[in-house]
Amino acid sequence: MSKRSSDTAQSKPDLRLVNAEAEVYDLMRAPQTTADRVKRLQAEARALAVEQLEAFERSLHATAALAKEIAEGGDAYPVGARELAGRISTDLVSKAETIAAITQRTAL
């Protein structure tokens, strides 16, 4: 077994809940109308946008955690850098929470 396939087998699957009105699309069948195709593509675009916003939120939290470590790093870091990192950490956490709230509110 190659290393690549063992990494894939050990990673957790990305499971998401699907709306009740979601449909399975038969790729072998052409859409009945252009409007149906547009609706499907728009739904796919919205799903991809939600995924990207969730990734952005995770990145903000990770950056906030790094900034907090620097802020609490003591004399190893310059005073100005520690102060700035502390402010950035607080700001990024609130921004990430705002993004999460917007995503949840509009993804319903």
Side-chain angles (χ1 to χ4, degrees):
M1 181 182 270
S2 71
K3 182 179 179 186
R4 181 176 215 173
S5 63
S6 66
D7 289 344
T8 306
Q10 293 177 357
S11 65
K12 293 182 180 179
D14 185 17
L15 303 175
R16 297 185 184 272
L17 294 177
V18 179
N19 291 339
E21 63 258 356
E23 297 178 20
V24 175
Y25 185 75
D26 182 5
L27 293 176
M28 300 304 290
R29 178 178 57 91
Q32 287 101 14
T33 66
T34 301
D36 289 338
R37 185 172 178 210
V38 167
K39 287 178 188 176
R40 181 181 54 85
L41 291 172
Q42 287 174 335
E44 288 178 20
R46 282 190 296 275
L48 289 172
V50 167
E51 286 179 20
Q52 190 170 31
L53 284 171
E54 289 170 347
F56 181 53
E57 179 191 348
R58 287 189 302 273
S59 295
L60 289 176
H61 280 294
T63 304
L66 180 59
K68 185 176 180 181
E69 287 179 20
I70 292 170
E72 297 172 350
D75 293 335
Y77 298 96
V79 174
R82 289 193 315 251
E83 292 173 359
L84 182 60
R87 289 193 301 260
I88 288 172
S89 174
T90 304
D91 190 43
L92 287 181
V93 169
S94 68
K95 301 296 185 202
E97 290 170 356
T98 302
I99 290 289
I102 292 168
T103 303
Q104 289 175 350
R105 184 177 62 233
T106 58
L108 297 176

